[in-house]
Structures are given as structure tokens and as C-alpha cells.
Amino acid sequence: MKIKQVLSALEQFAPLPLQESWDNAGLQLGLTEAEVSGALLCLDVNEAIIDEAIRKGCNLIVSHHPLLFRGLKQISGADYVQRCVIKAIKHDIVIVSMHTNMDNAHDGVNFKIAERLGATVLNGSLTDGQSVALQSAADTEKVPLVLAELPSPMDACTFIGLVKKQFHCECAQCNELLERPIRKVAICGGAGDFLLPDAISQGADAFITGEMHYHQYFGTEQQIQICVIGHYQSEQFTSEIFRDIIQKECPGVKTCIAETNTNPIVYI
């Protein structure tokens, strides 16, 4: 099977028109006519990820965050992005990124977060018996904020403990503990703080995201339970989405979820 067939399967699931205007999802570098020897699936691309792909015999890397985000004016090895480009080309490795198109896709990043919590998505997953109309519109309809319902109500401490356990978090940044039970949860992985007002307006008891600015914690006391778990932590299971798509649509292609932890933040 050719790499371009794997790329097509990924883009059918999360069409590129779903990406934000500032993004650079899709093919990053390489020739897609080559036969795929294996796909390494990851959140970020750095030199250690490319080394892992080489060791495992994978000539395709599928990442969530794009390696090439801004234009390169030289490729001299001056920084890690340039070094990655040089190494990938030298070893005939193709790099593909599914970023905000996967964030905004039905059954994408935020749906995976809900799944980890055992929560039922309320605003339309294509895998749980939704309408034909929703399925036909899936290639153009963005779902930047997922609303989900926990199996049963729980107090704030129990909820935060569940989130930390499921996402392997050393800590969570939260506002004042909510004094009412939490059942309805709004979810946006990564840097989703801009959706906090939407979460409140849609009646969510809690809001999970990866990053939030300091001043946004003010004024939400007893309105909503904020739970910020880290950018990497919130999106770390995106590779499982890539794996499931490839295994379903491209049977026989070797898929490897990266063992390299690319989180640049260390908690001390």
C-alpha cells in the first residue's frame, strides 16, 4: 500500500477544510508514491521521534502537531525543525500532520478525551448511531467543543482525581472547587481556553482543557469547575485515533504508537 493511500484515509476522517486558517495540517514533507513500510504515530515530531521511526522501520510519521508550522528560509541544521527535515529526507521518511482538522473532527481529539473519561458525547459522535444528516455533513461541520455526560454525578475532588488518573497527570490547575455535583463536561484538548465562555453558556458543570491564561480563572467561581491538565497530557491519546483509522481503512499497514515522550515540560 502506498503512503498516499494512508494519507487519503486520514484526510477522509478529518478533512483538511476543517483546519483553522492559521494551521498547516496535512503532508509536511516527503514523496507519497512510496510503499508504506510502517507508520509511527505521535503527538510531536522531534529528532528522537525520527530516530524511533528509523529503528522500527517506519517510513511514515503521522503526528498531531505539525513539524512545519512557519515557513523555513533556510535548511542548515540551525534548529531542531531544520535538523528533522534533513534527517527525514535523508532516510526517505514522509511526515504527515493531522492538527486542528483532527481537533475539529467528529470522533476526533475531544471525543477521545470523553472516551477516556467514560463519558457519553452529547453533541454528535458518528460512531454511536447518529443521523444520516449529521454523517453527510461531517466533512464540513466543526466540533471544536465537545459536551459529554459522565456515567454518574460526582463531587469536584472525585472528578479532578478521575481526570488526573486517566491522563497520567502529576497535577491539575483548577479554580475554586465547585460545590454542586459535576455531570456535564465541556472538553477541548490543547489550548482551548478561548472556549470557556461557550462551556459556561452551554451549561457545563466542568471544563477540561490543556492550557489556560491566568486571568481567565477569575470570575468563574461556582459557575464551572475548570480543570487544566497540560497540553501534552490532554492530547497524548490522539495517536490511538490515527491507529484505529489506519487499521480500519488500510489493513496490513504496520502501525506503531511512539514510545518517545515528547512533552517538553518537566514538573519538578
Side-chain angles (χ1 to χ4, degrees):
M1 183 169 290
K2 293 185 176 181
I3 290 174
K4 69 179 182 180
Q5 293 173 273
V6 179
L7 176 58
S8 176
L10 290 165
E11 291 184 358
Q12 283 180 13
F13 184 95
L16 291 181
L18 289 179
Q19 72 177 308
E20 301 299 330
S21 60
W22 45 263
D23 199 8
N24 187 39
L27 178 65
Q28 300 281 290
L29 62 89
L31 303 176
T32 62
E33 286 289 340
E35 185 175 332
V36 60
S37 62
L40 183 69
L41 317 174
C42 58
L43 190 66
D44 311 286
V45 179
N46 59 17
E47 292 167 275
I49 285 288
I50 296 178
D51 288 338
E52 184 176 344
I54 295 168
R55 288 196 310 271
K56 293 181 174 178
C58 296
N59 64 348
L60 172 62
I61 293 174
V62 181
S63 70
H64 182 47
H65 296 140
L67 172 66
L68 301 178
F69 199 79
R70 298 175 179 84
L72 293 178
K73 294 187 177 181
Q74 63 174 2
I75 303 177
S76 63
D79 57 39
Y80 88 92
V81 173
Q82 295 179 38
R83 291 191 295 272
C84 284
V85 170
I86 293 169
K87 182 173 286 191
I89 293 175
K90 181 179 179 181
H91 291 275
D92 295 318
I93 293 173
V94 174
I95 299 177
V96 169
S97 299
M98 298 283 110
H99 191 210
T100 54
N101 54 322
M102 189 61 73
D103 289 333
N104 289 328
H106 288 271
D107 292 331
V109 175
N110 301 320
F111 293 82
K112 174 60 71 172
I113 295 172
E115 177 187 305
R116 293 286 304 179
L117 295 173
T120 301
V121 172
L122 301 175
N123 57 329
S125 170
L126 297 185
T127 59
D128 60 4
Q130 296 300 312
S131 68
V132 174
L134 176 59
Q135 294 189 43
S136 65
D139 59 348
T140 56
E141 183 182 352
K142 293 183 179 182
V143 190
L145 183 71
V146 160
L147 299 172
E149 188 174 77
L150 298 170
S152 59
M154 57 185 69
D155 63 73
C157 282
T158 302
F159 169 74
I160 294 166
L162 171 67
V163 175
K164 288 174 62 180
K165 177 182 178 181
Q166 291 302 107
F167 292 89
H168 314 307
C169 301
E170 297 180 52
C171 61
Q173 292 180 294
C174 306
N175 60 345
E176 177 182 282
L177 294 182
L178 199 67
E179 294 176 0
R180 69 173 188 270
I182 293 172
R183 186 73 185 272
K184 186 177 180 181
V185 182
I187 301 168
C188 182
D193 55 4
F194 67 101
L195 288 170
L196 176 61
D198 295 80
I200 294 171
S201 68
Q202 296 192 52
D205 301 309
F207 177 56
I208 299 173
T209 191
E211 295 181 39
M212 181 169 288
H213 288 86
Y214 173 78
H215 290 285
Q216 291 178 290
Y217 289 84
F218 286 100
T220 59
E221 297 82 2
Q222 299 310 314
Q223 276 190 296
I224 194 167
Q225 181 65 66
I226 294 172
C227 187
V228 178
I229 61 176
H231 199 123
Y232 178 92
Q233 288 84 348
S234 69
E235 296 181 330
Q236 62 186 298
F237 299 108
T238 304
S239 296
E240 294 181 2
I241 306 174
F242 301 151
R243 177 198 62 197
D244 294 346
I245 296 167
I246 295 171
Q247 289 182 351
K248 179 182 178 182
E249 303 297 335
C250 307
V253 172
K254 179 178 75 174
T255 57
C256 305
I257 291 180
E259 299 174 64
T260 303
N261 185 327
T262 58
N263 189 0
I265 300 173
V266 178
Y267 297 88
I268 299 175

